[in-house]
């Protein structure tokens, strides 16, 4: 037994190292898979699709901002259902933006115009809502994005209040951080938020940078500046993180997506201005199906959704 | 002195103008806005402009850097609120273009374009286009649809002037 132990341990160590190596694969690039949509208001069409989110089954939810509705698709782009119309009642929208789906299969939709977050089940049945216009705790002035963390806390970007607010899953206010400015730790019209482990990542859109905070709101790191080169942005307006802690940033006016490692080191980019497959006209949001290595991008100006596959090295 | 006179004229108009043509109205306003870069700011500006009294519909054209506002039937858009709202939303207001139906009048010798709604009137720039319109009207008080440029000149140390309307196109109804 004792003599066999080293061989046994070596076998498991080798297996673990192989698994770790596989799970930390390098990203060689992304390839275009499919696209769907097109300008219009019929089911499956879009007018300014601005937000994209996925549920656990891989269904795709789109905030169809110009049509003031949410549309739900299968992962291959097959239309499943839609809900919403212009207004401020339950199930009505005034510019739904960067939505999110919780692990409890609830769809959280922030609304710019109505200064609230509405919550629906996966078929569009209204569940509850919170928020009103203002700058106090729990109030919003153009909430632009929602992120639900592993602990069920809901992070909301508050565009005109230049802050991030954090709520319990039912909408009870917990904390806030951020204030208007350009210095390290300040925010200037934030448009998206995500988490990488315990770190909070903010798309600090009009500072043209990504900022990383701890859970208390203390700034930890920042990268990016205005420009067109790698690691530069022209409105960094959406953010997503994959299983390998790579951070994908939607670079609105440069019509591309840039990918970084967890420390903010540039890895690659994809997309350029245009309307062909793999090209963008002002992309606005990104969602990642980590299990399948699939990336969805809301191609706002082309009124469509594009689907990409990660290529491993 | 000229500044004071214009301001007095505007105040007089607000409080004393009484005979308003029933079908006259500001139909649409177009405003150039610098700094419109993405839907987040476009939707934000749309939200702020909708809060202005008299605004029925706002359309923001990000690529053109243009905003159009349509007026509610029951009241004209409070044009004086446009520039402050655009500035507060983080943008730079540019040229304002007006499409409105109203009547040409005069107050204390100054040509005026009178529109119904919340006692609204504009001082008309007295140029060749205005003279041409005046000649065609030949003293008749007919409704006129005017497309024109609005400018607000505010010399340092003075209150804001009333908007001056430069008539670009017109159609006598």
């Amino acid at each position: 037994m004792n003599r066999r132990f080293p061989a046994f341990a070596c076998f498991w160590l080798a297996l673990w190292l192989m698994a770790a190596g596989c799970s930390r694969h390098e990203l060689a690039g992304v390839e275009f898979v499919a696209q769907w949509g097109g300008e219009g208001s019929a089911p499956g069409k879009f007018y300014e699709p601005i937000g994209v989110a996925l549920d656990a089954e891989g269904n795709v939810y789109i905030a169809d901002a110009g049509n003031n509705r949410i549309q739900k698709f299968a992962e291959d782009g097959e239309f499943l259902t839609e809900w919403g119309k212009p207004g401020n009642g339950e199930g009505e929208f005034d510019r739904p933006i960067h939505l999110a789906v919780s692990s409890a299969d609830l769809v959280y939709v922030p609304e710019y115009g109505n200064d609230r977050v509405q919550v629906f089940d996966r078929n569009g049945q209204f569940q509850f809502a919170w928020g009103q216009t203002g700058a106090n705790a729990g109030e919003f002035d153009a909430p632009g994005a929602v992120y639900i963390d592993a602990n069920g806390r809901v992070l909301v970007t508050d565009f005109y209040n230049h802050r991030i607010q954090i709520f319990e899953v039912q909408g009870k206010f917990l904390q806030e951080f951020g204030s208007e400015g350009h210095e390290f730790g300040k925010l200037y019209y934030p448009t998206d938020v995500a988490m990488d482990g315990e770190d909070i990542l903010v798309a600090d859109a009009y500072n043209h940078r990504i900022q990383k905070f701890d859970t208390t709101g203390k700034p930890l790191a920042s990268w990016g500046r205005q420009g067109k080169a790698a690691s530069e942005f022209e409105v960094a307006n959406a953010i997503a993180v994959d299983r390998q802690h790579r951070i994908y940033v939607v670079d609105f006016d440069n019509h591309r997506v840039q990918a970084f490692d967890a420390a903010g080191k540039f890895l690659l980019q994809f997309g350029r201005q245009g309307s062909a497959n793999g090209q963008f006209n002002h992309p606005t949001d990104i969602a990642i199906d980590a299990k399948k290595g699939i990336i969805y991008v809301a191609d706002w100006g082309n009124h469509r959704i594009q689907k990409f596959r990660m290529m491993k090295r | 002195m000229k500044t004071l006179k214009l301001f007095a004229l505007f105040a007089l108009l607000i409080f004393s103008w009484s005979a308003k043509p029933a079908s006259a109205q500001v139909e649409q306003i177009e405003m150039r806005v610098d700094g419109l870069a993405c839907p987040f700011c476009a939707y934000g500006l749309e939200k702020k402009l909708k809060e202005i009294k008299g605004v029925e519909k706002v359309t923001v054209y990000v690529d053109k850097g243009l905003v159009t506002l349509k007026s509610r039937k029951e009241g004209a858009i409070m044009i004086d609120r446009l520039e402050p709202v655009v500035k507060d939303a983080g943008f730079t207001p540019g040229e304002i273009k007006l499409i409105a139906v109203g009547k040409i009048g005069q107050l204390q010798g100054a040509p005026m374009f009178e529109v119904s709604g919340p006692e609204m009137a504009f001082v008309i720039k007295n140029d060749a286009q205005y003279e041409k319109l005046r000649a065609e009207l030949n003293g008749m008080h007919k409704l006129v649809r005017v497309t024109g440029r609005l400018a607000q000149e505010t010399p340092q140390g003075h209150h804001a002037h009333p908007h001056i309307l430069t008539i670009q196109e017109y159609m006598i109804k």
Side-chain angles (χ1 to χ4, degrees), chain A residues 54-59 61 70-73 80-83 101-107 119-127:
Chain A
L54 309 175
D55 66 19
E57 291 176 9
N59 295 311
Y61 298 78
I70 306 301
Q71 294 198 69
K72 179 181 176 182
F73 299 88
L80 297 176
T81 190
E82 65 173 309
W83 70 90
V101 184
S102 73
S103 57
D105 281 338
L106 293 175
V107 182
V119 182
F120 302 87
D121 70 15
R122 294 197 307 166
N123 296 313
Q125 286 297 309
F126 175 83
Q127 303 295 306

Side-chain angles (χ1 to χ4, degrees), chain A residues 36 44 46 58-62 71-75 77-80:
Chain A
W36 71 87
F46 303 113
N59 295 311
V60 184
Y61 298 78
I62 305 300
Q71 294 198 69
K72 179 181 176 182
F73 299 88
E75 60 185 280
E78 179 197 357
F79 172 81
L80 297 176

Side-chain angles (χ1 to χ4, degrees), chain B residues 36-104:
Chain B
L36 275 175
C38 75
F40 299 93
C41 44
Y43 296 157
L45 181 60
E46 174 188 71
K47 176 187 174 187
K48 302 289 181 189
L49 290 170
K50 274 184 188 170
E51 292 166 4
I52 296 176
K53 191 179 172 189
V55 173
E56 170 73 32
K57 188 181 177 192
V58 179
T59 308
V60 180
Y61 300 93
V62 175
D63 289 349
K64 297 176 188 168
L66 187 70
V67 174
T68 65
L69 300 98
K70 289 214 185 309
S71 176
R72 290 185 191 279
K73 282 185 179 164
E74 64 270 24
I77 295 168
M78 301 298 287
I79 292 172
D80 288 346
R81 291 290 305 135
L82 287 180
E83 289 177 349
V85 164
V86 169
K87 282 180 186 168
D88 287 348
F91 307 100
T92 306
E95 183 183 277
I96 301 174
K97 201 171 177 180
L98 174 85
I99 302 173
V101 176
K103 281 189 173 181
I104 305 297

Side-chain angles (χ1 to χ4, degrees), chain A residues 173-187:
Chain A
F173 175 82
L174 292 173
Q175 67 180 93
E176 64 175 288
F177 65 87
S179 60
E180 181 178 358
H182 307 290
E183 304 84 7
F184 181 56
K186 298 275 189 182
L187 299 173

